[in-house]
Amino acid sequence: MNKPILFNPYIIALITLLPMTIVYFFIQRRKKIKLKTEKESYRKFKKEEVDMNNLMNSINKSSQLHRELSRKYHPDRFLDQEKKTFAEELMKEINGNKTDYNKLLDLKEKANHKLTNKT
């Protein structure tokens, strides 16, 4: 008597191994896609240029400039009420941008123009 096709050992092995191989290939594919996106993001980061001069100024000179501006433009140094309110707003901006050297330079120019002109 012939055995039914389902009880053939080759068919049983095929039925059990097929789902495992499909899962294995999907996992490998997902790993390749993840690796590919990581490489692309690294390449994008590598291509972006960093202004080293600005970075070094922000690291080294921003604290000195912040100290200088906070002393020079402190609101208690002004008697005129209009200048005093401007100095208060300026101090909020100065304290909010302690580490941004370029922004502090812009604030210094703005303050020099607004507070030191005798108009």
Side-chain angles (χ1 to χ4, degrees), residues 36 38-48:
K36 184 178 178 182
E38 287 176 358
K39 285 181 181 179
E40 287 175 1
S41 64
Y42 177 72
R43 286 186 194 127
K44 286 179 185 176
F45 176 74
K46 196 174 177 182
K47 286 181 183 177
E48 291 179 7

Side-chain angles (χ1 to χ4, degrees), residues 5 12 58 75 80 99:
I5 296 175
I12 293 173
S58 291
D80 184 23
T99 58

Side-chain angles (χ1 to χ4, degrees), residues 27-40:
I27 291 172
Q28 293 301 319
R29 183 173 171 223
R30 186 176 284 172
K31 285 181 183 179
K32 286 180 184 178
I33 291 172
K34 184 178 179 184
L35 185 63
K36 184 178 178 182
T37 56
E38 287 176 358
K39 285 181 181 179
E40 287 175 1

Side-chain angles (χ1 to χ4, degrees), residues 14-29:
L14 183 67
I15 291 173
T16 56
L17 290 178
L18 187 64
M20 290 191 300
T21 55
I22 291 172
V23 169
Y24 174 77
F25 284 116
F26 277 118
I27 291 172
Q28 293 301 319
R29 183 173 171 223

Side-chain angles (χ1 to χ4, degrees), residues 6-7 12 25 31 34 60 70 74-75 91 95 111 115-116:
L6 290 176
F7 294 118
I12 293 173
F25 284 116
K31 285 181 183 179
K34 184 178 179 184
N60 297 326
S70 60
H74 195 276
M91 278 302 293
N95 288 330
L115 295 175
T116 59

